[in-house]
C-alpha cells in the first residue's frame, strides 16, 4: 500500500523547503534550512540584475528563489544540467530582439549581418563537433528537431519504428497523443524481458516485418550504450531512413564517452541542454543531400523567426564542448554514474539492466520494497534536497504518475565538480531515505548534510554567491 500519511507529510515538508527558499530578505534570500539547521543567505543577484531587481521585484523574486533552489539542492534529474555563465549571458542578450527569418545570406529582414554571423558560427561548430555534413541550428527544442526530420523525409501515414515510451523511448518517437503518433503510423520495439537490453535481432525482425520508412534510435531512459552501427545496418536492410535522437547523450558523444551515430544515420537530432550543457534548444544534423529538405522543414515548414539569442548560446556551448576539458567532463559523468550505480546495487537496489554505461540509471524500487512507488520515493528524496524523477521501468505494472522506478543522472552533479567519493556519499543518502522514507528525523538530518555538500560544490554558473 502507498502510505498516504507519510506521503502527504513528506509533501508538506517539501513545500516547507520551497517556502523557506522563497523568503527574501534585503538583496538576498534566506535559504532557511527547513530541516532545522542554520540559515544560509544567497545574495548578489541584485548587484548583477539591477534592472530586473528594481523594475520587477516580483519576477526577480521568483528568479532569485529558483537560483537559491538550485544552489541548495542536488540535481539528479538525468536530463538536466547547469549551463555556464557564458551560455546564460548569450541567452539573455540583445539578440532576443532580432527577427531573422530565413537562413544566413537569405533573410526576410534587414539588419541581419550579426545574426548571419551567429548562425554561421553555430552551424560550423555543430558540424565540427559532431563530424556532420550539414547542421540546422534553428529548432527551438528536440521535439521540433524530430518533427522537422519527419516533415523532411516522410508523408503523413508513413510508418515509423521507435522505442516504446514505457521502455525508455520519447513521446516524439510516435506516442499516440504526440504529433509523431497522430500523423504517422507508429510501431514500437521494446526491450528484452530478461535482460532489459535492446535486442537488435528483435528490432531487425520487426523492421523487416513492418518495413517502416524511418527507424528511430535513441532514448530518454536507457542506461546502456546504443549500437547505432547495428541500427544503421538494420535500416539499410529494411530500406528505412535512420534517425538517431541523441538528446540525452549528445554531451557524451561530443566528449567521446559514447560512440557517435553520425556515420550510421540519415539524420541525427539532439537537444542542447542535457549532457551537452547548453541552452534549452535543438539541432538537426544530416548529410548534404538532405540539407535543403531539412532546412525547408524547419523554416518555413515548422517555425517562423529563429531565436537568435538561443542560437548564439548554442554556439557558445558547442565551443565549450569542443575544449579538451569537456572530454574530461563527459568521462567523469560516466564514471560518476558508475560509482552511484555501484553504491546503490551494493545496498541491494536492483538497477534496470544491472547497471549503467552512460549518465543515467533506473532503480527498480520493488527490489527492496514492493510497496514503494517512484512518486513517494522522489518526494522523500526531494524533502532531503535530492531532486530526481519518478520513472516507469520496462514492463512496469504501475502507471506513469506512480511508477516502480526512479531515474538518476550525474550530468549536473559532475558540472558542480563532484567525483566518485561524492557519488558514494549520495548513494548512501539515497539508500537511507528509500529504506526509511517515512522517517522525518532522518530525512531532516540528511537534508542538512546535503546542504553542506551544496556549499562545498557550488553551482558554477550562477550570478549569485552563497555566504
Ligand atoms: N523530458 C526529457 C527527459 O527528462 O528525459 C526528455 O525530453
Amino acid at each position: 500500500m502507498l502510505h498516504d500519511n507519510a506521503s502527504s507529510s513528506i509533501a508538506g515538508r517539501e513545500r516547507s523547503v520551497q517556502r523557506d527558499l522563497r523568503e527574501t530578505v534585503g538583496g538576498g534570500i534566506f535559504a532557511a534550512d527547513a530541516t532545522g539547521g542554520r540559515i544560509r543567505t544567497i545574495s548578489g543577484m541584485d548587484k548583477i540584475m539591477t534592472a530586473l531587481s528594481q523594475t520587477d521585484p516580483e519576477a526577480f523574486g521568483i528568479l532569485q528563489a529558483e537560483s537559491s533552489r538550485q544552489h541548495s539542492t542536488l540535481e539528479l534529474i538525468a536530463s538536466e544540467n547547469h549551463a555556464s555563465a557564458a551560455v546564460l549571458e548569450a541567452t539573455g542578450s540583445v539578440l532576443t530582439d532580432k527577427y531573422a527569418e530565413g537562413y544566413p545570406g537569405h533573410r526576410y529582414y534587414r539588419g541581419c549581418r550579426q545574426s548571419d554571423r551567429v548562425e554561421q558560427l553555430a552551424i560550423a561548430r555543430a558540424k565540427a563537433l559532431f563530424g556532420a555534413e550539414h547542421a540546422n541550428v534553428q529548432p527551438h527544442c528536440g521535439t521540433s528537431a524530430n518533427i522537422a526530420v519527419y516533415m523532411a523525409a516522410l508523408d503523413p501515414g508513413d510508418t515509423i519504428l521507435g522505442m516504446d515510451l514505457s521502455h525508455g523511448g520519447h513521446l516524439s518517437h510516435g506516442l499516440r497523443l504526440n504529433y509523431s503518433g497522430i500523423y504517422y503510423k507508429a510501431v514500437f520495439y521494446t526491450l528484452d524481458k530478461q535482460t532489459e537490453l535492446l535486442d537488435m535481432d528483435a528490432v531487425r525482425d520487426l523492421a523487416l516485418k513492418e518495413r517502416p520508412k524511418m527507424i528511430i534510435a535513441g532514448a530518454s531512459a536507457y542506461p546502456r550504450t546504443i549500437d547505432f552501427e547495428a541500427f544503421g545496418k538494420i535500416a539499410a536492410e529494411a530500406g528505412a531512413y535512420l534517425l538517431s535522437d541523441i538528446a540525452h547523450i549528445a554531451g557524451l558523444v561530443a566528449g567521446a564517452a559514447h560512440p557517435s551515430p553520425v556515420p550510421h544515420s540519415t539524420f541525427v537530432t539532439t537537444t542542447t541542454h542535457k549532457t551537452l550543457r547548453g541552452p534549452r534548444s535543438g539541432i538537426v544534423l544530416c548529410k548534404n543531400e538532405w540539407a535543403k529538405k531539412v532546412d525547408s522543414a524547419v523554416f518555413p515548414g515548422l517555425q517562423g523567426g529563429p531565436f537568435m539569442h538561443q542560437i548564439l548560446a548554442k554556439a557558445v556551448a558547442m565551443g565549450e564542448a569542443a575544449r579538451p576539458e569537456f572530454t574530461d567532463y563527459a568521462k567523469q559523468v560516466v564514471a560518476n554514474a558508475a560509482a552511484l550505480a555501484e553504491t546503490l546495487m551494493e545496498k541491494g537496489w536492483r538497477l534496470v539492466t544491472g547497471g549503467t554505461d552512460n549518465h543515467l540509471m533506473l532503480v527498480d524500487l520493488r527490489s527492496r520494497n514492493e510497496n514503494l512507488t517512484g512518486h513517494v520515493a522522489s518526494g522523500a528524496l526531494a524533502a532531503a534536497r535530492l531532486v530526481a524523477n519518478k520513472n516507469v521501468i520496462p514492463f512496469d505494472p504501475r502507471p506513469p504518475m506512480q511508477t516502480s522506478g526512479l531515474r538518476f543522472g550525474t550530468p549536473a552533479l559532475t558540472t558542480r565538480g563532484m567525483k566518485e567519493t561524492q557519488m558514494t556519499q549520495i548513494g548512501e543518502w539515497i539508500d537511507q531515505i528509500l529504506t526509511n522514507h517515512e522517517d522525518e528525523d532522518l530525512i531532516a538530518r540528511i537534508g542538512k548534510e546535503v546542504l553542506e555538500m551544496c556549499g562545498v560544490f557550488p553551482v558554477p554558473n550562477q550570478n549569485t554567491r552563497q555566504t
Side-chain angles (χ1 to χ4, degrees):
M1 255 317 282
L2 201 150
H3 303 284
D4 286 338
N5 288 344
S7 169
S8 62
S9 159
I10 286 166
R13 180 167 295 287
E14 202 182 331
R15 275 196 299 278
S16 160
V17 171
Q18 292 300 328
R19 191 173 53 247
D20 288 346
L21 291 175
R22 279 199 296 270
E23 285 175 17
T24 57
V25 177
I29 283 186
F30 267 159
D33 185 355
T35 54
R38 69 172 183 281
I39 289 171
R40 283 162 174 257
T41 306
I42 311 278
S43 62
M45 279 178 79
D46 58 332
K47 309 284 186 307
I48 295 158
M49 296 192 168
T50 47
L52 186 61
S53 63
Q54 285 166 22
T55 63
D56 194 338
E58 190 179 3
F60 178 68
I62 296 170
L63 191 56
Q64 229 182 358
E66 172 58 13
S67 174
S68 183
R69 185 192 72 78
Q70 292 188 18
H71 267 293
S72 58
T73 56
L74 293 182
E75 187 54 73
L76 286 137
I77 294 175
S79 49
E80 294 188 11
N81 210 330
H82 301 291
S84 70
V87 166
L88 294 184
E89 282 179 12
T91 305
S93 68
V94 294
L95 282 161
T96 297
D97 298 342
K98 192 69 198 96
Y99 251 121
E101 282 178 23
Y103 287 99
H106 306 278
R107 304 285 189 185
Y108 290 84
Y109 292 80
R110 293 284 173 196
C112 289
R113 182 148 175 257
Q114 303 315 323
S115 294
D116 281 1
R117 293 180 67 200
V118 165
E119 190 163 346
Q120 278 158 341
L121 183 66
I123 290 169
R125 287 184 178 178
K127 285 162 61 175
L129 188 64
F130 293 104
E133 288 181 11
H134 179 74
N136 187 303
V137 295
Q138 292 195 6
H140 300 327
C141 64
T143 294
S144 301
N146 285 343
I147 293 173
V149 167
Y150 301 149
M151 287 175 65
L154 306 177
D155 294 312
D158 279 347
T159 300
I160 58 175
L161 173 62
M163 188 179 195
D164 194 302
L165 180 63
S166 67
H167 285 229
H170 188 255
L171 50 88
S172 65
H173 297 178
L175 179 73
R176 180 172 60 83
L177 300 172
N178 183 266
Y179 172 90
S180 54
I182 294 170
Y183 287 92
Y184 306 103
K185 182 185 167 227
V187 287
F188 301 100
Y189 52 87
T190 56
L191 301 177
D192 179 81
K193 192 152 193 177
Q194 297 307 319
T195 64
E196 298 168 315
L197 296 169
L198 278 166
D199 176 348
M200 297 313 293
D201 290 335
V203 174
R204 177 176 175 272
D205 289 347
L206 199 53
L208 295 179
K209 177 170 166 257
E210 297 286 348
R211 294 279 167 184
K213 195 154 172 194
M214 182 174 287
I215 297 175
I216 304 154
S220 290
Y222 186 65
R224 295 296 183 178
T225 302
I226 295 176
D227 188 346
F228 291 113
E229 186 175 359
F231 268 107
K233 284 187 181 145
I234 292 168
E237 193 179 352
Y241 303 127
L242 177 62
L243 162 60
S244 296
D245 178 345
I246 57 166
H248 261 263
I249 56 170
L252 305 186
V253 171
H258 190 291
S260 172
V262 171
H264 315 292
S265 311
T266 328
F267 308 97
V268 175
T269 55
T270 186
T271 52
T272 50
H273 49 272
K274 298 186 176 93
T275 48
L276 194 55
R277 214 164 59 181
R280 301 196 76 82
S281 213
I283 290 177
V284 180
L285 307 170
C286 63
K287 306 216 182 302
N288 278 332
E289 63 187 287
W290 283 98
K292 206 163 178 304
K293 282 194 167 170
V294 165
D295 287 354
S296 303
V298 175
F299 172 84
L302 183 62
Q303 295 181 175
F307 296 171
M308 296 314 303
H309 55 305
Q310 294 296 89
I311 294 175
L312 179 67
K314 278 182 255 195
V316 172
M318 288 187 284
E320 291 172 356
R323 294 185 194 136
E325 52 266 35
F326 194 85
T327 302
D328 299 338
Y329 165 72
K331 287 195 171 68
Q332 191 64 50
V333 167
V334 173
N336 281 352
L340 180 57
E342 198 55 44
T343 306
L344 293 171
M345 289 191 294
E346 273 169 15
K347 303 286 181 190
W349 297 99
R350 191 187 81 80
L351 298 191
V352 168
T353 76
T356 177
D357 297 331
N358 57 23
H359 63 300
L360 68 81
M361 68 213 69
L362 288 169
V363 181
D364 181 354
L365 294 166
R366 300 169 305 177
S367 56
R368 288 271 313 276
N369 183 346
E370 195 57 53
N371 298 320
L372 183 60
T373 65
H375 180 66
V376 169
S378 59
L381 291 173
R385 303 172 182 273
L386 296 167
V387 184
N389 65 284
K390 61 190 168 210
N391 216 102
V392 289
I393 55 174
F395 309 100
D396 200 329
R398 290 197 171 105
M401 288 306 284
Q402 291 299 326
T403 82
S404 301
L406 286 173
R407 186 182 66 164
F408 295 129
T410 53
L413 300 179
T414 309
T415 293
R416 288 176 92 139
M418 294 182 187
K419 298 233 160 68
E420 288 88 336
T421 311
Q422 287 72 45
M423 297 306 116
T424 303
Q425 174 63 78
I426 291 167
E428 283 170 6
W429 284 330
I430 291 170
D431 167 61
Q432 288 170 29
I433 293 169
L434 296 185
T435 307
N436 308 282
H437 67 277
E438 297 174 354
D439 185 339
E440 297 204 9
D441 292 338
L442 175 90
I443 289 172
R445 178 177 62 71
I446 292 176
K448 276 191 237 171
E449 292 171 14
V450 171
L451 194 57
E452 294 287 335
M453 188 183 272
C454 292
V456 178
F457 294 91
V459 176
N461 66 8
Q462 305 226 352
N463 301 330
T464 59
R465 61 194 156 80
Q466 197 166 357
T467 56

